[in-house]
């Protein structure tokens, strides 16, 4: 099973990519630009790293020795745009059980699957809206993160719809929790989120969510019950254990930025809230649950 791993080699590459001058990598048939605007990251058990570049529409694979290779190129982004869809803006990433890489494509309002060879297909979505259903009949609005559960289902932070969605292994999309732009604990549609931007799922099926608009980390139990783990909304209208402190132990919010399109980018948050003995799971976007 993929796990989070520390490695100084990929960090060297990422520091280079974040420098003031963008770096270029000469590939077989094109020159690829890593603009230094990563939208998501996931790490495999062999210490290889996948990083999405939301500005250029590329996804990079970084070997343990720091060598970057484009997995999804800007040319593929242009191919999608040529079919009437928006160019790719890859955000959160997650490795699927079959070895493919799932991508939250915010600008295209869709979830993609990328093979190791670099070909991409639309798993679900493709137009802005909200609708459950099979495959591409389902609609999303600026999804920003994805994470796989132990049962093989893919959870999606449907940021623009203020909901958490679930893609079953057969492709059927349902809503796990959330409805209107608000704050509130509860079950299913009775729970409320504001721009949930990152999430992860631990070994027992519990989903942790960076609820950026509410300045909180939320917990969704396997039975669909939503509670607030830590943090509170602006104005202090939260109740329950943990809401008196921000997600970093102080009053404050999960880090949130605003993308040029006006939609928030993936939140940067860390949640040390897994059940005792839980193993670290892959980075899905930027929320990682780590066992104590």
């Amino acid at each position: 099973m993929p796990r989070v791993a520390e490695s100084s080699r990929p960090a060297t590459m990422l520091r280079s990519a974040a420098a003031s001058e963008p770096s270029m990598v000469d590939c077989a048939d094109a020159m690829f630009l890593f603009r230094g605007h990563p939208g998501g990251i996931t790490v495999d058990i062999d210490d290889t790293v996948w990083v999405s570049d939301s500005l250029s529409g590329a996804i990079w694979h970084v070997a343990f020795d720091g060598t970057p290779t484009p997995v999804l190129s800007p040319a593929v982004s242009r191919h999608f745009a040529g079919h009437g869809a928006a160019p790719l803006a890859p955000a959160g990433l997650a490795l699927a059980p079959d070895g493919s890489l799932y991508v939250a494509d915010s600008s295209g309002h869709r979830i993609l699957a990328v093979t190791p060879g670099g070909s991409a297909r639309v798993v679900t979505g493709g137009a802005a809206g909200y609708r459950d259903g099979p495959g591409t009949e389902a609609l999303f609005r600026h999804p920003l993160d994805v994470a796989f559960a132990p049962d093989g289902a893919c959870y999606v932070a449907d940021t623009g719809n203020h909901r958490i969605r679930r893609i079953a292994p057969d492709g059927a999309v349902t809503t796990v929790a959330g409805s209107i732009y608000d704050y509130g604990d509860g079950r299913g549609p009775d729970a409320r989120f504001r721009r949930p931007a990152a999430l992860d799922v631990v070994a027992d099926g519990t989903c942790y969510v960076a609820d950026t608009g509410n300045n909180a980390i939320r917990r969704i139990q396997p039975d669909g019950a939503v509670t607030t783990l830590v943090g509170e909304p602006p104005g202090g209208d939260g109740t329950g254990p943990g809401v008196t402190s921000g997600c970093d132990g102080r009053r404050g919010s999960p880090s949130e930025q605003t993308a040029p399109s006006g939609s928030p980018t993936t939140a940067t948050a860390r949640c040390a809230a897994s059940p005792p003995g839980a193993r670290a799971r892959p980075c899905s976007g930027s929320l990682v649950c780590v066992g104590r």
Side-chain angles (χ1 to χ4, degrees):
M1 179 180 293
R3 60 175 175 83
V4 172
E6 297 292 337
S7 173
S8 60
R9 302 302 184 98
T12 301
M13 175 267 176
L14 293 176
R15 285 196 298 271
S16 172
S20 58
E21 293 297 326
S23 60
M24 304 288 286
V25 176
D26 192 3
C27 299
D29 58 352
M31 192 76 74
F32 293 97
L33 175 67
F34 185 39
R35 299 179 184 273
H37 290 268
I41 187 170
T42 191
V43 186
D44 207 343
I45 194 168
D46 62 356
D47 293 332
T48 58
V49 181
W50 285 260
V51 181
S52 64
D53 184 347
S54 56
L55 190 57
S56 71
I59 295 175
W60 293 81
H61 174 264
V62 185
F64 181 77
D65 64 2
T67 303
T69 304
V71 175
L72 188 68
S73 71
V76 175
S77 179
R78 292 190 294 270
H79 169 79
F80 272 85
H83 286 75
L88 303 184
L93 307 174
L95 290 166
D98 65 1
S100 60
L101 185 69
Y102 271 48
V103 182
D105 177 24
S106 179
S107 69
H109 314 288
R110 60 201 165 191
I111 306 301
L112 307 177
V114 182
T115 67
S119 62
R121 66 179 178 88
V122 177
V123 176
T124 185
Y130 169 70
R131 182 170 65 210
D132 287 340
T136 54
E137 293 183 17
L139 297 178
F140 296 79
R141 192 181 303 275
H142 296 297
L144 283 180
D145 202 10
V146 286
F148 276 89
D151 63 359
C154 180
Y155 282 66
V156 181
D158 190 3
T159 307
N161 282 321
H162 319 294
R163 292 169 167 89
I164 304 303
R165 315 284 292 279
R166 179 182 184 272
I167 307 172
D170 65 2
V173 177
T174 55
T175 299
V176 177
S179 53
I180 62 173
Y181 177 84
D182 199 355
Y183 170 81
D185 289 341
R187 191 181 306 274
D190 293 332
R192 304 285 193 264
F193 296 87
R194 290 183 177 128
R195 301 190 305 275
L199 78 175
D200 199 11
V201 185
V202 297
D204 68 355
T206 301
C207 179
Y208 292 89
V209 181
D211 188 4
T212 59
N214 281 318
N215 299 347
I217 301 297
R218 315 289 296 280
R219 175 169 50 201
I220 307 176
Q221 303 284 7
D223 64 2
V226 178
T227 56
T228 299
L229 180 67
V230 67
E232 65 178 354
D237 59 345
T239 59
V243 299
T244 57
S245 65
C247 69
D248 59 356
R250 307 182 304 271
R251 285 187 178 271
S253 66
S255 171
E256 181 185 0
Q257 298 174 324
T258 301
S261 63
S263 62
T265 63
T266 303
T268 301
R270 190 168 185 87
C271 173
S274 303
R279 296 295 299 276
R281 293 180 59 80
C283 300
S284 303
S286 299
L287 181 67
V288 189
C289 292
V290 181
R292 291 177 176 172

